[in-house]
Amino acid sequence: MIKPVFRVQCDGPGREWLALPDGHTPGTDIVHADLIAAPTAERAGNWPDERAAKLAAIGAGWRHPHNSKDFKDWRCPNCRNTEQP
């Protein structure tokens, strides 16, 4: 059976992926705060639906840009720290 998965990529200039930390054992629970921003999708988290992907991103500190009007853009902490208010 084929099942879709959702991945999260930063919409900022870094274009990083919401990824599992090094040393994570597949199939074990993960704390969202332990998720990292990675330059490639190699270790990107596979979320079962859009809601789970959004919750993981929020838990890892990803947010909408300060000037977002439609809330479709997501920024990793690195890109948010470089934003101009």
Side-chain angles (χ1 to χ4, degrees):
M1 176 189 318
I2 298 173
K3 290 187 177 188
V5 295
F6 290 75
R7 292 182 173 185
V8 179
Q9 186 177 25
C10 176
D11 293 311
R15 303 293 297 163
E16 294 184 314
W17 294 86
L18 183 61
L20 303 172
D22 291 334
H24 175 71
T25 304
T28 60
D29 289 342
I30 186 155
V31 177
H32 290 158
D34 291 341
L35 296 170
I36 61 171
T40 66
E42 181 181 6
R43 297 205 34 94
N46 294 323
W47 311 108
D49 55 41
E50 187 174 357
R51 183 176 186 277
K54 285 182 179 181
L55 289 175
I58 291 168
W62 294 45
R63 300 287 186 269
H64 301 292
H66 71 280
N67 59 352
S68 178
K69 294 191 180 0
D70 60 10
F71 300 107
K72 290 184 180 178
D73 292 339
W74 287 89
R75 298 283 195 275
C76 68
N78 294 336
C79 288
R80 284 191 312 114
N81 291 337
T82 60
E83 276 185 351
Q84 298 296 323

